[in-house]
């Protein structure tokens, strides 16, 4: 089981606390959406799940995050290992410069297994690109540079790259915000199929998107600027969107603030 | 990449670039003031009437400044072209007679000009190639250490220290090489011939003074490292953070992140830096002239023997004080050859860098 459990979790940048005292359990094989106004710490929390947060100079965390019962912040845990099990897709597509489409997909795998038979590599490239709904568009030009693709294609390439290493969890930080509606649709379709194999966590500012694709929704907010972000409400997406328990949640979803 | 643009090549490049920026910049100055369609290139059309008087005044001043900038840039560009052409004509006119000269008139009693020039050109290329292959890995490592591994607080200080090395005059390197490095290496070379003598490079009788082409190349490498490291530092710093995050998020270690996200991005910049260093090594005179103990007309790949090929620049410097008549012509013709060598290396480098950047 790759259930994620976050308890008593806080994250800071130097002396500034960006996320305070968050606790929630993210179900395996489901899509969980993080929503909330800008600056409430969604990205910070997401980046804490794969221990990317600590690569920022001065960044610290407290509390625990467990994946399938295993403490990701345990003393003996190597953050590099955590990141291999928790994949991430960023807001801006970021294929590796100078690498072909094929090599971009294989980049993560090659980090672990330096020798990969060509047939196995070919197969993995095809499977990953198919899973990312990109195969048909690029199968004739796998040797071309990854940065030669359109933005939407690049983002799907980044998804293919992330799932090629078969992580347990896939984190997505506003993966569609730089994309056109058609590419957004392609990625939303993709998420519906990814949910069958992965624990997917997605940050989005698009309420319709959260409602369409997620099973559970967590709403975060702050008490004001330079205040830490807190988890306000968490539950099944249908409940959060139809009968939220908190007034702030209802206001945010209705577009009255944030 | 502009970084490969050696001084010698600047002429046409600067000229055309200024002409371009002139026309490109002249247009946007108008839309800034809110005039619609001012970007149209036809100067014969009357400009549409601006809505605000204030905007007209500013735009007129802008246009004057624009004109001044354009003329200055174009003037500078042409000045370089003219100077370059002047130097070329000087070298050609003065050097030409040497091509037909015989043994009695040439320096070192060479039987003809090419017997003299060939080995020297080889020496220049060989010494520079050696220096570059020693310097490049060190420069890249130094730049990586400063930009990727050193604590943030130390980065500026370390970078400054490396830059300072570039400011050391070559005479100082030459003195130091002659008095310290050469005697030191003279003790290492016998070991090299004894243990690596099966490699043709280290075959033969090791030099007792240590003043070999390898010593010269090591000194040259020391002079090339700061230049190349400075260029590498610039490009490494500019590697996009988003790619580095992508690498980390895939479970890459620090070094794997550098390999995936920094080095590929920096490739063309690294090549540019190397070529800048190569240019410096090719043209370096003093340090080589002081350190190297040359043998006339020698072409050899042996690195640690007491007989060594000379370089063009060092030969000119050593011979010029006592040269007269056709000897001087020959030296000037040699200068022309060095000019051509540097130019060719730069052109090749630009092509390589452009290809690496376009990939
Ligand atoms: N590298 C950083 N250094 C210092 N403070 C940071 C850094 N990154 C984010 N912050 C601060 O942490 C807080 C939370 O930022 P975060 O990026 O997590 O918000 P977010 O909810 O993702 O916002 P958005 O919806 O705009 O992406 C903000 O106040 C932000 O200014
Ligand atoms: Mg964010």
């Amino acid at each position: 089981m790759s259930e994620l459990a976050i308890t008593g979790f806080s994250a800071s940048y130097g002396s500034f606390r960006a996320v305070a005292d968050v606790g929630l359990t993210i179900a395996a094989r489901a899509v969980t959406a993080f929503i909330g106004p800008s600056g409430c710490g969604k990205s910070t929390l997401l980046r804490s799940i794969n221990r990317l947060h600590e690569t920022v100079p001065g960044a610290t965390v407290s509390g625990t995050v467990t994946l399938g019962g295993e403490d990701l912040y345990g003393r003996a845990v190597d953050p590099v290992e955590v990141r291999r099990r928790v994949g991430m897709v960023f807001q801006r597509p970021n294929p590796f410069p100078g690498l072909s489409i094929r090599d971009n997909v294989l980049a993560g795998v090659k980090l672990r297994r330096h020798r990969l038979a060509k047939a196995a590599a070919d197969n993995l490239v095809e499977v990953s690109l198919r899973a990312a709904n990109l195969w048909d568009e690029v199968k004739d030009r796998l040797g071309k540079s990854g940065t030669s693709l359109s933005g939407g294609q690049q983002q799907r390439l980044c998804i293919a790259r992330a799932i090629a290493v078969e992580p347990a969890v896939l984190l997505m930080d506003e993966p569609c915000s730089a994309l056109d509606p058609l590419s957004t649709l392609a990625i939303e379709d993709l998420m519906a199929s990814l949910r069958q194999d992965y624990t997917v966590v997605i940050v989005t500012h698009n309420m319709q998107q959260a409602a369409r694709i997620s099973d559970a929704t967590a709403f975060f907010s702050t008490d004001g600027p330079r205040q830490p972000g807190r988890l306000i409400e968490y539950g099944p997406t249908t409940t959060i969107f139809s009968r939220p328990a908190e007034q702030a949640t209802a206001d945010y979803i209705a577009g009255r603030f944030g | 990449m502009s970084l490969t643009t050696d001084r010698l090549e600047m002429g046409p490049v600067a000229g055309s670039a200024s002409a371009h920026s002139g026309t490109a910049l002249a247009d946007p100055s108008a839309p800034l003031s809110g005039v619609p369609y001012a970007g149209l290139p036809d100067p014969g059309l009357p400009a549409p009437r601006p809505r605000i008087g204030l905007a007209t005044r500013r735009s007129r001043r802008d246009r004057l400044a624009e004109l001044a900038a354009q003329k200055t840039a174009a003037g500078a560009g042409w000045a370089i072209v003219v100077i370059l052409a002047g130097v070329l004509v000087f070298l050609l006119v003065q050097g030409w007679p040497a091509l037909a000269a015989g043994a009695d008139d040439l320096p070192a009693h060479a039987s003809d000009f090419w017997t003299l020039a060939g080995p020297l050109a080889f020496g220049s290329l060989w010494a520079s190639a050696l220096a570059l292959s020693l310097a490049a890995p060190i420069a890249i490592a130094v730049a990586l250490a400063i930009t990727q591994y050193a604590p943030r607080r130390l980065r500026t200080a370390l970078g400054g220290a490396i830059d300072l090395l570039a400011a050391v005059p070559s005479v100082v390197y030459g003195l130091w090489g002659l008095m310290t490095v050469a005697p030191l290496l003279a003790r290492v070379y016998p070991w090299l011939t004894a243990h690596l003598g099966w490699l043709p490079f280290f075959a033969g009788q090791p030099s007792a003074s240590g003043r070999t082409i390898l010593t010269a190349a090591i000194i040259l490498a020391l002079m090339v490292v700061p230049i190349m490291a400075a260029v590498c530092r610039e490009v490494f710093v500019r590697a996009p953070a988003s790619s580095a995050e992508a690498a980390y998020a895939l479970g890459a270690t620090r070094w794997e992140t550098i390999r995936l996200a920094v080095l590929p991005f920096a490739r063309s910049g690294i090549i540019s830096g190397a070529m800048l260093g190569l240019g410096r090594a090719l043209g370096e005179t003093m340090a080589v002239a002081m350190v190297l103990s040359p043998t006339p007309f020698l072409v050899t790949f042996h690195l640690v023997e007491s007989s060594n090929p000379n370089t063009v620049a060092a030969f000119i410097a050593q011979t010029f004080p006592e040269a007269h008549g056709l000897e001087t012509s020959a030296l000037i013709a040699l200068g022309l050859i060095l000019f051509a060598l540097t130019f060719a290396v730069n052109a090749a480098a630009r092509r390589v860098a452009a290809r690496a950047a376009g990939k």
Side-chain angles (χ1 to χ4, degrees):
Chain A
M1 275 306 270
S2 37
E3 184 181 80
L4 270 170
I6 301 171
T7 33
F9 194 82
S10 303
S12 308
Y13 295 97
S15 60
F16 171 65
R17 178 163 289 201
V19 172
D21 206 26
V22 167
L24 76 167
T25 302
I26 295 168
R29 295 176 202 284
V31 176
T32 301
F34 286 2
I35 61 170
S38 188
C40 69
K42 305 178 295 293
S43 298
T44 305
L45 181 62
L46 200 70
R47 291 161 54 90
S48 301
I49 297 175
N50 66 346
R51 296 192 62 172
L52 203 55
H53 175 65
E54 67 205 62
T55 62
V56 176
T60 54
V61 299
S62 66
T64 60
V65 180
T66 64
L67 175 60
E70 203 180 331
D71 186 0
L72 296 183
Y73 281 89
R75 202 183 290 262
V77 174
D78 182 354
V80 165
E81 280 309 313
V82 172
R83 294 178 203 133
R84 288 175 182 187
R85 287 177 59 195
V86 184
M88 182 154 189
V89 176
F90 297 82
Q91 180 170 359
R92 297 200 163 276
N94 52 4
F96 292 121
L99 288 195
S100 66
I101 294 173
R102 178 189 152 89
D103 287 340
N104 259 289
V105 175
L106 293 176
V109 186
K110 281 185 174 167
L111 290 177
R112 257 169 285 184
R113 282 189 290 150
H114 289 278
R115 228 169 303 160
L116 192 64
K118 182 166 183 311
D122 287 344
N123 187 47
L124 181 63
V125 169
E126 179 169 350
V127 168
S128 307
L129 286 172
R130 276 193 195 283
N133 279 341
L134 188 60
W135 175 251
D136 290 329
E137 288 158 70
V138 301
K139 64 173 180 246
D140 301 323
R141 45 174 172 156
L142 294 174
K144 285 270 163 58
S145 159
T147 44
S148 69
L149 298 174
S150 78
Q153 290 171 330
Q154 285 187 24
Q155 191 64 304
R156 279 178 281 152
L157 177 61
C158 292
I159 294 175
R161 178 179 70 189
I163 58 187
V165 300
E166 297 179 352
V169 180
L170 197 56
L171 308 174
M172 301 181 143
D173 194 349
E174 302 183 42
C176 304
S177 66
L179 305 183
D180 67 297
L182 220 63
S183 306
T184 301
L185 206 66
I187 287 180
E188 286 186 9
D189 284 348
L190 174 57
M191 266 180 290
S193 65
L194 289 179
R195 132 187 320 110
Q196 289 156 14
D197 298 308
Y198 300 95
T199 304
V200 180
V201 186
I202 178 174
V203 172
T204 178
H205 279 289
N206 182 329
M207 292 307 110
Q208 286 85 19
Q209 183 173 66
R212 272 197 302 271
I213 62 172
S214 70
D215 304 290
T217 298
F219 171 64
F220 297 85
S221 190
T222 63
D223 297 334
R226 304 305 289 170
Q227 294 294 313
R230 296 176 188 285
L231 176 63
I232 305 295
E233 190 171 357
Y234 178 49
T237 299
T238 45
T239 313
I240 297 284
F241 276 85
S242 57
R243 294 170 270 113
E246 301 285 334
Q247 187 57 38
T249 314
D251 288 348
Y252 180 76
I253 289 170
R256 280 192 285 275
F257 88 99
Chain B
M1 287 228 37
S2 64
L3 286 168
T4 44
T5 321
D6 189 79
R7 177 169 37 89
L8 299 173
E9 258 191 289
M10 277 291 272
V13 176
S16 61
S18 67
H20 267 295
S21 64
T23 46
L25 282 174
D27 303 334
S29 71
L32 273 181
S33 61
V35 183
Y37 307 123
L40 283 177
D42 189 351
L45 286 175
R49 186 164 289 280
R51 272 165 295 196
I52 313 171
L54 208 68
T56 335
R57 270 220 302 282
R58 196 167 76 210
S59 113
R60 207 165 276 156
R61 209 176 58 201
D62 277 0
R63 232 170 275 155
L64 265 182
E66 190 54 50
L67 204 70
Q70 187 184 337
K71 293 282 180 241
T72 314
W78 279 111
I80 290 171
V81 173
V82 167
I83 291 170
L84 192 72
V87 169
L88 249 178
V89 167
F90 167 81
L91 289 177
L92 275 174
V93 168
Q94 297 284 315
W96 194 258
L99 297 188
D104 296 336
D105 304 315
L106 285 172
H109 304 290
S111 56
D112 67 69
F113 177 74
W114 298 109
T115 319
L116 178 70
L120 289 175
F122 164 81
S124 280
L125 286 174
W126 179 228
S128 305
L130 280 173
L132 191 66
S133 48
L134 291 171
I138 299 174
I140 293 172
V142 164
L144 281 178
I146 294 177
T147 57
Q148 313 287 320
Y149 289 99
R152 244 148 243 279
R153 301 168 276 115
L154 284 183
R155 286 181 189 178
T156 328
L158 282 174
I162 299 291
D163 287 346
L164 214 60
L165 278 181
V168 175
S170 56
V171 189
V172 175
Y173 278 110
L175 276 174
W176 181 62
L178 180 62
M179 294 165 63
T180 313
V181 181
L184 202 74
L185 288 173
R187 280 189 267 156
V188 178
Y189 290 157
W191 186 91
L192 280 179
T193 44
H195 293 89
L196 295 172
W198 49 273
L199 276 173
F201 298 132
F202 300 111
Q205 189 67 35
S207 156
S209 68
R211 295 173 60 187
T212 75
I213 192 135
L214 183 57
T215 309
I218 289 172
I219 299 294
L220 281 178
L222 283 175
M223 304 168 77
V224 167
V225 161
I227 297 175
M228 194 178 163
V231 176
C232 289
R233 224 151 40 90
E234 292 283 313
V235 282
F236 291 166
V237 167
R238 263 186 269 130
S242 63
S243 301
E245 290 221 301
Y248 279 127
L250 277 179
T253 60
R254 187 54 96 50
W255 167 240
E256 287 165 341
T257 301
I258 290 171
R259 243 184 40 215
L260 267 176
V262 178
L263 292 181
F265 169 85
R267 189 164 44 197
S268 67
I270 293 173
I271 295 172
S272 303
M275 291 309 143
L276 212 63
L278 190 58
R280 165 108 208 234
L282 274 173
E284 177 50 41
T285 309
M286 260 342 271
V288 177
M290 291 168 80
V291 168
L292 192 62
S293 147
T295 308
F297 315 127
L298 185 64
V299 173
T300 176
F301 288 100
H302 293 188
L303 294 177
V304 297
E305 284 185 321
S306 51
S307 46
N308 294 280
N310 204 354
T311 70
V312 176
F315 181 81
I316 295 176
Q318 286 155 344
T319 318
F320 198 77
E322 274 133 51
H324 48 79
L326 275 175
E327 287 181 2
T328 317
S329 286
L331 293 184
I332 290 171
L334 282 174
L336 191 62
I337 284 177
L338 186 59
F339 188 115
L341 272 182
T342 315
F343 195 90
V345 164
N346 260 291
R350 276 166 65 94
R351 193 152 331 133
V352 172
R355 198 178 307 154
K359 221 175 169 184

